[in-house]
Amino acid sequence: IRNNSSTASSRWLSSTQLYRALPHTIDVTSSSSSKRPFSATSATTTPSAPPFHKILIANRGEITLRIIRTARSLGIQTVAIYSTADAKSLHVQMADEAVCIGPPASSASYLDIDKVCEAIVLTGAEGD
């Protein structure tokens, strides 16, 4: 574990809460990919206190970088998971914490839900 902070909590994160907390213009919960009406206040207004303080991002690549940047702008700490092959990846370097969850094979790391859940508990990532 690489830890740049000392805060921990026992709450779990739901994807709905993350979706509601992050600025967005596309409704990913509907079956169509139509855009929501854009509001200048929706993109610039952030909650006074985020609904959670630390999230684990179970992904890698560009989407993970976007989530990390947005979470940071909202004052939310991030935890990245990675395989040994991805140890030097940008998402690992950018996250507040990083946890190695196994060997390069996805089936033995990213897709192993027990290892992902163990990383959540170990880091104190939160949500409901």
Side-chain angles (χ1 to χ4, degrees):
I1 265 187
R2 178 178 54 78
N3 184 352
N4 295 337
S5 67
S6 60
T7 316
S9 177
S10 61
R11 295 183 64 211
W12 290 86
L13 167 68
S14 73
S15 58
T16 303
Q17 286 180 317
L18 177 61
Y19 176 74
R20 288 180 182 156
L22 300 177
H24 56 278
T25 58
I26 299 174
D27 182 359
V28 296
T29 60
S30 69
S31 58
S32 69
S33 61
S34 62
K35 291 187 174 183
R36 286 184 172 201
F38 180 77
S39 164
T41 58
S42 68
T44 58
T45 304
T46 57
S48 58
F52 33 79
H53 302 285
K54 186 190 292 188
I55 58 172
L56 182 134
I57 305 163
N59 204 326
R60 56 186 169 171
E62 179 59 29
I63 190 65
T64 303
L65 301 178
R66 291 179 186 186
I67 294 169
I68 290 170
R69 287 185 201 113
T70 302
R72 185 170 288 151
S73 74
L74 294 170
I76 300 169
Q77 295 178 346
T78 56
V79 177
I81 57 172
Y82 64 96
S83 71
T84 54
D86 297 324
K88 295 182 180 181
S89 296
L90 188 55
H91 79 283
V92 174
Q93 297 170 25
M94 284 185 61
D96 297 306
E97 295 179 52
V99 177
C100 182
I101 58 169
S106 294
S107 60
S109 56
Y110 296 101
L111 300 178
D112 187 335
I113 194 66
D114 291 332
K115 289 182 181 179
V116 174
C117 290
E118 185 178 335
I120 292 168
V121 171
L122 181 66
T123 60
E126 56 190 317
D128 285 337

mmCIF file of all heavy atoms in Angstrom, residues 67-112:
data_model
loop_
_atom_site.group_PDB
_atom_site.id
_atom_site.type_symbol
_atom_site.label_atom_id
_atom_site.label_comp_id
_atom_site.label_asym_id
_atom_site.label_seq_id
_atom_site.Cartn_x
_atom_site.Cartn_y
_atom_site.Cartn_z
ATOM 1 N N ILE A 67 -11.591 10.203 -13.300
ATOM 2 C CA ILE A 67 -12.242 10.059 -11.991
ATOM 3 C C ILE A 67 -11.349 10.635 -10.896
ATOM 4 O O ILE A 67 -11.831 11.354 -10.010
ATOM 5 C CB ILE A 67 -12.583 8.581 -11.707
ATOM 6 C CG1 ILE A 67 -13.649 8.087 -12.688
ATOM 7 C CG2 ILE A 67 -13.041 8.399 -10.263
ATOM 8 C CD1 ILE A 67 -13.863 6.586 -12.669
ATOM 9 N N ILE A 68 -10.053 10.363 -10.955
ATOM 10 C CA ILE A 68 -9.125 10.885 -9.949
ATOM 11 C C ILE A 68 -9.114 12.403 -9.966
ATOM 12 O O ILE A 68 -9.190 13.044 -8.918
ATOM 13 C CB ILE A 68 -7.704 10.312 -10.159
ATOM 14 C CG1 ILE A 68 -7.676 8.827 -9.811
ATOM 15 C CG2 ILE A 68 -6.673 11.076 -9.329
ATOM 16 C CD1 ILE A 68 -6.389 8.108 -10.209
ATOM 17 N N ARG A 69 -9.047 13.002 -11.150
ATOM 18 C CA ARG A 69 -9.045 14.473 -11.249
ATOM 19 C C ARG A 69 -10.326 15.071 -10.687
ATOM 20 O O ARG A 69 -10.301 16.061 -9.960
ATOM 21 C CB ARG A 69 -8.852 14.909 -12.698
ATOM 22 C CG ARG A 69 -7.462 14.714 -13.217
ATOM 23 C CD ARG A 69 -7.316 15.283 -14.627
ATOM 24 N NE ARG A 69 -6.187 14.680 -15.275
ATOM 25 C CZ ARG A 69 -6.258 13.853 -16.334
ATOM 26 N NH1 ARG A 69 -7.421 13.561 -16.881
ATOM 27 N NH2 ARG A 69 -5.165 13.337 -16.846
ATOM 28 N N THR A 70 -11.448 14.479 -11.033
ATOM 29 C CA THR A 70 -12.734 15.005 -10.553
ATOM 30 C C THR A 70 -12.870 14.826 -9.050
ATOM 31 O O THR A 70 -13.291 15.741 -8.344
ATOM 32 C CB THR A 70 -13.901 14.317 -11.289
ATOM 33 O OG1 THR A 70 -13.748 14.521 -12.688
ATOM 34 C CG2 THR A 70 -15.234 14.891 -10.838
ATOM 35 N N ALA A 71 -12.499 13.660 -8.553
ATOM 36 C CA ALA A 71 -12.568 13.418 -7.114
ATOM 37 C C ALA A 71 -11.681 14.413 -6.373
ATOM 38 O O ALA A 71 -12.085 14.975 -5.348
ATOM 39 C CB ALA A 71 -12.151 11.986 -6.796
ATOM 40 N N ARG A 72 -10.489 14.646 -6.866
ATOM 41 C CA ARG A 72 -9.569 15.601 -6.240
ATOM 42 C C ARG A 72 -10.190 17.001 -6.200
ATOM 43 O O ARG A 72 -10.095 17.690 -5.200
ATOM 44 C CB ARG A 72 -8.248 15.621 -7.007
ATOM 45 C CG ARG A 72 -7.195 16.490 -6.358
ATOM 46 C CD ARG A 72 -5.854 16.298 -7.008
ATOM 47 N NE ARG A 72 -5.333 14.983 -6.621
ATOM 48 C CZ ARG A 72 -4.528 14.252 -7.368
ATOM 49 N NH1 ARG A 72 -4.124 14.677 -8.532
ATOM 50 N NH2 ARG A 72 -4.110 13.078 -6.928
ATOM 51 N N SER A 73 -10.866 17.395 -7.285
ATOM 52 C CA SER A 73 -11.491 18.727 -7.311
ATOM 53 C C SER A 73 -12.634 18.833 -6.310
ATOM 54 O O SER A 73 -12.991 19.934 -5.885
ATOM 55 C CB SER A 73 -11.983 19.062 -8.718
ATOM 56 O OG SER A 73 -13.148 18.326 -9.037
ATOM 57 N N LEU A 74 -13.217 17.691 -5.931
ATOM 58 C CA LEU A 74 -14.303 17.663 -4.948
ATOM 59 C C LEU A 74 -13.797 17.407 -3.530
ATOM 60 O O LEU A 74 -14.581 17.313 -2.599
ATOM 61 C CB LEU A 74 -15.322 16.581 -5.321
ATOM 62 C CG LEU A 74 -16.097 16.818 -6.613
ATOM 63 C CD1 LEU A 74 -16.883 15.572 -6.990
ATOM 64 C CD2 LEU A 74 -17.007 18.019 -6.474
ATOM 65 N N GLY A 75 -12.489 17.250 -3.389
ATOM 66 C CA GLY A 75 -11.919 16.998 -2.064
ATOM 67 C C GLY A 75 -12.052 15.563 -1.609
ATOM 68 O O GLY A 75 -12.019 15.268 -0.414
ATOM 69 N N ILE A 76 -12.200 14.636 -2.556
ATOM 70 C CA ILE A 76 -12.356 13.220 -2.240
ATOM 71 C C ILE A 76 -11.035 12.513 -2.521
ATOM 72 O O ILE A 76 -10.462 12.654 -3.602
ATOM 73 C CB ILE A 76 -13.484 12.592 -3.085
ATOM 74 C CG1 ILE A 76 -14.814 13.309 -2.800
ATOM 75 C CG2 ILE A 76 -13.590 11.096 -2.820
ATOM 76 C CD1 ILE A 76 -15.928 12.941 -3.759
ATOM 77 N N GLN A 77 -10.550 11.743 -1.556
ATOM 78 C CA GLN A 77 -9.315 10.977 -1.742
ATOM 79 C C GLN A 77 -9.584 9.763 -2.617
ATOM 80 O O GLN A 77 -10.701 9.241 -2.643
ATOM 81 C CB GLN A 77 -8.764 10.525 -0.396
ATOM 82 C CG GLN A 77 -8.323 11.656 0.480
ATOM 83 C CD GLN A 77 -7.842 11.145 1.829
ATOM 84 O OE1 GLN A 77 -8.072 10.004 2.204
ATOM 85 N NE2 GLN A 77 -7.171 12.012 2.559
ATOM 86 N N THR A 78 -8.539 9.304 -3.325
ATOM 87 C CA THR A 78 -8.706 8.186 -4.241
ATOM 88 C C THR A 78 -7.748 7.051 -3.918
ATOM 89 O O THR A 78 -6.648 7.263 -3.428
ATOM 90 C CB THR A 78 -8.471 8.627 -5.691
ATOM 91 O OG1 THR A 78 -7.174 9.223 -5.792
ATOM 92 C CG2 THR A 78 -9.527 9.633 -6.134
ATOM 93 N N VAL A 79 -8.218 5.838 -4.210
ATOM 94 C CA VAL A 79 -7.413 4.630 -4.065
ATOM 95 C C VAL A 79 -7.426 3.937 -5.423
ATOM 96 O O VAL A 79 -8.485 3.693 -5.987
ATOM 97 C CB VAL A 79 -7.999 3.671 -3.003
ATOM 98 C CG1 VAL A 79 -7.181 2.392 -2.936
ATOM 99 C CG2 VAL A 79 -8.084 4.344 -1.650
ATOM 100 N N ALA A 80 -6.242 3.646 -5.953
ATOM 101 C CA ALA A 80 -6.126 2.898 -7.204
ATOM 102 C C ALA A 80 -5.709 1.475 -6.889
ATOM 103 O O ALA A 80 -4.936 1.232 -5.963
ATOM 104 C CB ALA A 80 -5.083 3.549 -8.107
ATOM 105 N N ILE A 81 -6.261 0.536 -7.650
ATOM 106 C CA ILE A 81 -5.778 -0.834 -7.565
ATOM 107 C C ILE A 81 -4.995 -1.106 -8.841
ATOM 108 O O ILE A 81 -5.265 -0.508 -9.889
ATOM 109 C CB ILE A 81 -6.918 -1.856 -7.370
ATOM 110 C CG1 ILE A 81 -7.954 -1.762 -8.485
ATOM 111 C CG2 ILE A 81 -7.556 -1.695 -6.003
ATOM 112 C CD1 ILE A 81 -9.002 -2.855 -8.457
ATOM 113 N N TYR A 82 -3.999 -1.999 -8.742
ATOM 114 C CA TYR A 82 -3.184 -2.292 -9.925
ATOM 115 C C TYR A 82 -2.596 -3.691 -9.838
ATOM 116 O O TYR A 82 -2.451 -4.256 -8.758
ATOM 117 C CB TYR A 82 -2.064 -1.254 -10.075
ATOM 118 C CG TYR A 82 -1.051 -1.260 -8.953
ATOM 119 C CD1 TYR A 82 0.138 -1.967 -9.065
ATOM 120 C CD2 TYR A 82 -1.281 -0.540 -7.770
ATOM 121 C CE1 TYR A 82 1.076 -1.962 -8.035
ATOM 122 C CE2 TYR A 82 -0.348 -0.537 -6.745
ATOM 123 C CZ TYR A 82 0.830 -1.252 -6.887
ATOM 124 O OH TYR A 82 1.751 -1.255 -5.869
ATOM 125 N N SER A 83 -2.267 -4.236 -11.010
ATOM 126 C CA SER A 83 -1.563 -5.513 -11.067
ATOM 127 C C SER A 83 -0.067 -5.213 -11.116
ATOM 128 O O SER A 83 0.336 -4.065 -11.327
ATOM 129 C CB SER A 83 -1.979 -6.301 -12.310
ATOM 130 O OG SER A 83 -1.449 -5.685 -13.473
ATOM 131 N N THR A 84 0.741 -6.227 -10.941
ATOM 132 C CA THR A 84 2.187 -6.014 -10.960
ATOM 133 C C THR A 84 2.655 -5.431 -12.289
ATOM 134 O O THR A 84 3.619 -4.678 -12.329
ATOM 135 C CB THR A 84 2.939 -7.329 -10.669
ATOM 136 O OG1 THR A 84 2.495 -8.338 -11.585
ATOM 137 C CG2 THR A 84 2.710 -7.780 -9.244
ATOM 138 N N ALA A 85 1.952 -5.730 -13.369
ATOM 139 C CA ALA A 85 2.312 -5.187 -14.683
ATOM 140 C C ALA A 85 2.024 -3.690 -14.785
ATOM 141 O O ALA A 85 2.627 -2.994 -15.596
ATOM 142 C CB ALA A 85 1.559 -5.930 -15.779
ATOM 143 N N ASP A 86 1.105 -3.183 -13.982
ATOM 144 C CA ASP A 86 0.706 -1.779 -14.046
ATOM 145 C C ASP A 86 1.298 -0.933 -12.931
ATOM 146 O O ASP A 86 0.853 0.198 -12.702
ATOM 147 C CB ASP A 86 -0.832 -1.675 -13.980
ATOM 148 C CG ASP A 86 -1.497 -2.340 -15.171
ATOM 149 O OD1 ASP A 86 -0.941 -2.276 -16.276
ATOM 150 O OD2 ASP A 86 -2.578 -2.933 -14.984
ATOM 151 N N ALA A 87 2.299 -1.431 -12.233
ATOM 152 C CA ALA A 87 2.847 -0.751 -11.060
ATOM 153 C C ALA A 87 3.339 0.667 -11.354
ATOM 154 O O ALA A 87 3.275 1.538 -10.494
ATOM 155 C CB ALA A 87 3.979 -1.567 -10.452
ATOM 156 N N LYS A 88 3.802 0.918 -12.563
ATOM 157 C CA LYS A 88 4.318 2.249 -12.910
ATOM 158 C C LYS A 88 3.327 3.078 -13.720
ATOM 159 O O LYS A 88 3.681 4.114 -14.265
ATOM 160 C CB LYS A 88 5.637 2.107 -13.664
ATOM 161 C CG LYS A 88 6.732 1.495 -12.801
ATOM 162 C CD LYS A 88 8.044 1.411 -13.529
ATOM 163 C CE LYS A 88 9.091 0.799 -12.605
ATOM 164 N NZ LYS A 88 10.397 0.710 -13.249
ATOM 165 N N SER A 89 2.086 2.647 -13.792
ATOM 166 C CA SER A 89 1.059 3.355 -14.562
ATOM 167 C C SER A 89 0.716 4.697 -13.937
ATOM 168 O O SER A 89 0.850 4.901 -12.729
ATOM 169 C CB SER A 89 -0.212 2.508 -14.653
ATOM 170 O OG SER A 89 0.041 1.334 -15.366
ATOM 171 N N LEU A 90 0.235 5.603 -14.757
ATOM 172 C CA LEU A 90 -0.089 6.955 -14.307
ATOM 173 C C LEU A 90 -1.196 6.962 -13.251
ATOM 174 O O LEU A 90 -1.136 7.726 -12.297
ATOM 175 C CB LEU A 90 -0.474 7.828 -15.500
ATOM 176 C CG LEU A 90 -0.667 9.311 -15.234
ATOM 177 C CD1 LEU A 90 0.565 9.918 -14.566
ATOM 178 C CD2 LEU A 90 -0.981 10.042 -16.522
ATOM 179 N N HIS A 91 -2.195 6.098 -13.393
ATOM 180 C CA HIS A 91 -3.287 6.099 -12.402
ATOM 181 C C HIS A 91 -2.767 5.706 -11.019
ATOM 182 O O HIS A 91 -3.256 6.184 -10.011
ATOM 183 C CB HIS A 91 -4.459 5.220 -12.848
ATOM 184 C CG HIS A 91 -4.287 3.746 -12.654
ATOM 185 N ND1 HIS A 91 -3.509 2.954 -13.479
ATOM 186 C CD2 HIS A 91 -4.805 2.911 -11.722
ATOM 187 C CE1 HIS A 91 -3.567 1.711 -13.073
ATOM 188 N NE2 HIS A 91 -4.352 1.641 -12.002
ATOM 189 N N VAL A 92 -1.740 4.850 -10.967
ATOM 190 C CA VAL A 92 -1.142 4.445 -9.698
ATOM 191 C C VAL A 92 -0.399 5.628 -9.077
ATOM 192 O O VAL A 92 -0.463 5.863 -7.870
ATOM 193 C CB VAL A 92 -0.195 3.237 -9.901
ATOM 194 C CG1 VAL A 92 0.547 2.892 -8.624
ATOM 195 C CG2 VAL A 92 -0.984 2.038 -10.408
ATOM 196 N N GLN A 93 0.289 6.391 -9.899
ATOM 197 C CA GLN A 93 1.046 7.541 -9.426
ATOM 198 C C GLN A 93 0.142 8.697 -8.997
ATOM 199 O O GLN A 93 0.449 9.404 -8.039
ATOM 200 C CB GLN A 93 2.006 8.028 -10.509
ATOM 201 C CG GLN A 93 3.060 7.009 -10.875
ATOM 202 C CD GLN A 93 3.842 7.411 -12.117
ATOM 203 O OE1 GLN A 93 3.932 8.593 -12.441
ATOM 204 N NE2 GLN A 93 4.403 6.437 -12.801
ATOM 205 N N MET A 94 -0.975 8.893 -9.697
ATOM 206 C CA MET A 94 -1.860 10.024 -9.413
ATOM 207 C C MET A 94 -2.756 9.814 -8.196
ATOM 208 O O MET A 94 -3.143 10.778 -7.546
ATOM 209 C CB MET A 94 -2.744 10.340 -10.621
ATOM 210 C CG MET A 94 -2.019 11.068 -11.721
ATOM 211 S SD MET A 94 -3.140 11.543 -13.058
ATOM 212 C CE MET A 94 -4.291 12.621 -12.208
ATOM 213 N N ALA A 95 -3.105 8.581 -7.900
ATOM 214 C CA ALA A 95 -4.026 8.310 -6.786
ATOM 215 C C ALA A 95 -3.359 8.627 -5.447
ATOM 216 O O ALA A 95 -2.146 8.592 -5.314
ATOM 217 C CB ALA A 95 -4.466 6.843 -6.817
ATOM 218 N N ASP A 96 -4.189 8.935 -4.451
ATOM 219 C CA ASP A 96 -3.681 9.200 -3.107
ATOM 220 C C ASP A 96 -3.099 7.938 -2.478
ATOM 221 O O ASP A 96 -2.156 8.007 -1.700
ATOM 222 C CB ASP A 96 -4.796 9.758 -2.211
ATOM 223 C CG ASP A 96 -5.297 11.099 -2.716
ATOM 224 O OD1 ASP A 96 -4.465 12.005 -2.905
ATOM 225 O OD2 ASP A 96 -6.517 11.226 -2.930
ATOM 226 N N GLU A 97 -3.686 6.792 -2.796
ATOM 227 C CA GLU A 97 -3.210 5.503 -2.320
ATOM 228 C C GLU A 97 -3.264 4.519 -3.477
ATOM 229 O O GLU A 97 -4.068 4.686 -4.390
ATOM 230 C CB GLU A 97 -4.081 4.957 -1.184
ATOM 231 C CG GLU A 97 -4.069 5.755 0.083
ATOM 232 C CD GLU A 97 -4.988 5.151 1.130
ATOM 233 O OE1 GLU A 97 -4.863 3.947 1.418
ATOM 234 O OE2 GLU A 97 -5.828 5.891 1.644
ATOM 235 N N ALA A 98 -2.436 3.493 -3.416
ATOM 236 C CA ALA A 98 -2.456 2.451 -4.447
ATOM 237 C C ALA A 98 -2.214 1.098 -3.791
ATOM 238 O O ALA A 98 -1.388 0.981 -2.893
ATOM 239 C CB ALA A 98 -1.394 2.729 -5.498
ATOM 240 N N VAL A 99 -2.954 0.086 -4.253
ATOM 241 C CA VAL A 99 -2.856 -1.258 -3.694
ATOM 242 C C VAL A 99 -2.629 -2.242 -4.832
ATOM 243 O O VAL A 99 -3.417 -2.298 -5.780
ATOM 244 C CB VAL A 99 -4.155 -1.646 -2.932
ATOM 245 C CG1 VAL A 99 -4.068 -3.067 -2.409
ATOM 246 C CG2 VAL A 99 -4.443 -0.672 -1.822
ATOM 247 N N CYS A 100 -1.568 -3.007 -4.736
ATOM 248 C CA CYS A 100 -1.303 -4.076 -5.712
ATOM 249 C C CYS A 100 -2.209 -5.253 -5.361
ATOM 250 O O CYS A 100 -2.209 -5.720 -4.231
ATOM 251 C CB CYS A 100 0.158 -4.490 -5.676
ATOM 252 S SG CYS A 100 0.533 -5.766 -6.907
ATOM 253 N N ILE A 101 -2.972 -5.719 -6.364
ATOM 254 C CA ILE A 101 -3.920 -6.799 -6.090
ATOM 255 C C ILE A 101 -3.586 -8.101 -6.804
ATOM 256 O O ILE A 101 -4.388 -9.018 -6.798
ATOM 257 C CB ILE A 101 -5.371 -6.378 -6.406
ATOM 258 C CG1 ILE A 101 -5.504 -5.949 -7.856
ATOM 259 C CG2 ILE A 101 -5.828 -5.292 -5.454
ATOM 260 C CD1 ILE A 101 -6.944 -5.787 -8.303
ATOM 261 N N GLY A 102 -2.399 -8.181 -7.423
ATOM 262 C CA GLY A 102 -2.022 -9.464 -7.998
ATOM 263 C C GLY A 102 -1.187 -9.391 -9.251
ATOM 264 O O GLY A 102 -0.702 -8.331 -9.634
ATOM 265 N N PRO A 103 -1.040 -10.543 -9.908
ATOM 266 C CA PRO A 103 -0.217 -10.662 -11.106
ATOM 267 C C PRO A 103 -0.879 -10.014 -12.328
ATOM 268 O O PRO A 103 -2.034 -9.590 -12.254
ATOM 269 C CB PRO A 103 -0.080 -12.174 -11.280
ATOM 270 C CG PRO A 103 -1.289 -12.738 -10.642
ATOM 271 C CD PRO A 103 -1.620 -11.812 -9.501
ATOM 272 N N PRO A 104 -0.150 -9.943 -13.454
ATOM 273 C CA PRO A 104 -0.664 -9.261 -14.651
ATOM 274 C C PRO A 104 -1.993 -9.788 -15.201
ATOM 275 O O PRO A 104 -2.789 -9.008 -15.723
ATOM 276 C CB PRO A 104 0.453 -9.462 -15.680
ATOM 277 C CG PRO A 104 1.678 -9.638 -14.879
ATOM 278 C CD PRO A 104 1.242 -10.366 -13.636
ATOM 279 N N ALA A 105 -2.254 -11.066 -15.091
ATOM 280 C CA ALA A 105 -3.502 -11.618 -15.643
ATOM 281 C C ALA A 105 -4.714 -10.990 -14.955
ATOM 282 O O ALA A 105 -4.820 -11.005 -13.732
ATOM 283 C CB ALA A 105 -3.525 -13.130 -15.467
ATOM 284 N N SER A 106 -5.635 -10.447 -15.751
ATOM 285 C CA SER A 106 -6.829 -9.793 -15.193
ATOM 286 C C SER A 106 -7.639 -10.721 -14.312
ATOM 287 O O SER A 106 -8.177 -10.309 -13.292
ATOM 288 C CB SER A 106 -7.718 -9.260 -16.317
ATOM 289 O OG SER A 106 -7.070 -8.234 -17.009
ATOM 290 N N SER A 107 -7.720 -11.984 -14.704
ATOM 291 C CA SER A 107 -8.514 -12.938 -13.922
ATOM 292 C C SER A 107 -7.938 -13.165 -12.533
ATOM 293 O O SER A 107 -8.654 -13.548 -11.617
ATOM 294 C CB SER A 107 -8.621 -14.270 -14.662
ATOM 295 O OG SER A 107 -7.319 -14.812 -14.865
ATOM 296 N N ALA A 108 -6.646 -12.886 -12.367
ATOM 297 C CA ALA A 108 -6.004 -13.074 -11.073
ATOM 298 C C ALA A 108 -5.812 -11.761 -10.320
ATOM 299 O O ALA A 108 -5.234 -11.746 -9.241
ATOM 300 C CB ALA A 108 -4.646 -13.749 -11.258
ATOM 301 N N SER A 109 -6.328 -10.668 -10.886
ATOM 302 C CA SER A 109 -6.164 -9.373 -10.219
ATOM 303 C C SER A 109 -7.445 -8.540 -10.324
ATOM 304 O O SER A 109 -8.294 -8.620 -9.439
ATOM 305 C CB SER A 109 -4.958 -8.609 -10.789
ATOM 306 O OG SER A 109 -5.072 -8.450 -12.191
ATOM 307 N N TYR A 110 -7.606 -7.781 -11.379
ATOM 308 C CA TYR A 110 -8.737 -6.860 -11.510
ATOM 309 C C TYR A 110 -10.098 -7.547 -11.458
ATOM 310 O O TYR A 110 -11.063 -6.968 -10.955
ATOM 311 C CB TYR A 110 -8.633 -6.054 -12.807
ATOM 312 C CG TYR A 110 -7.438 -5.144 -12.857
ATOM 313 C CD1 TYR A 110 -6.298 -5.501 -13.564
ATOM 314 C CD2 TYR A 110 -7.440 -3.922 -12.187
ATOM 315 C CE1 TYR A 110 -5.199 -4.661 -13.613
ATOM 316 C CE2 TYR A 110 -6.345 -3.086 -12.223
ATOM 317 C CZ TYR A 110 -5.226 -3.455 -12.943
ATOM 318 O OH TYR A 110 -4.138 -2.633 -12.985
ATOM 319 N N LEU A 111 -10.200 -8.748 -11.951
ATOM 320 C CA LEU A 111 -11.482 -9.457 -11.971
ATOM 321 C C LEU A 111 -11.700 -10.357 -10.761
ATOM 322 O O LEU A 111 -12.733 -11.006 -10.653
ATOM 323 C CB LEU A 111 -11.603 -10.283 -13.263
ATOM 324 C CG LEU A 111 -11.543 -9.466 -14.559
ATOM 325 C CD1 LEU A 111 -11.631 -10.383 -15.774
ATOM 326 C CD2 LEU A 111 -12.644 -8.420 -14.600
ATOM 327 N N ASP A 112 -10.757 -10.363 -9.846
ATOM 328 C CA ASP A 112 -10.884 -11.148 -8.615
ATOM 329 C C ASP A 112 -11.568 -10.272 -7.561
ATOM 330 O O ASP A 112 -10.936 -9.471 -6.889
ATOM 331 C CB ASP A 112 -9.509 -11.605 -8.138
ATOM 332 C CG ASP A 112 -9.585 -12.565 -6.959
ATOM 333 O OD1 ASP A 112 -10.594 -12.533 -6.209
ATOM 334 O OD2 ASP A 112 -8.630 -13.329 -6.775
#
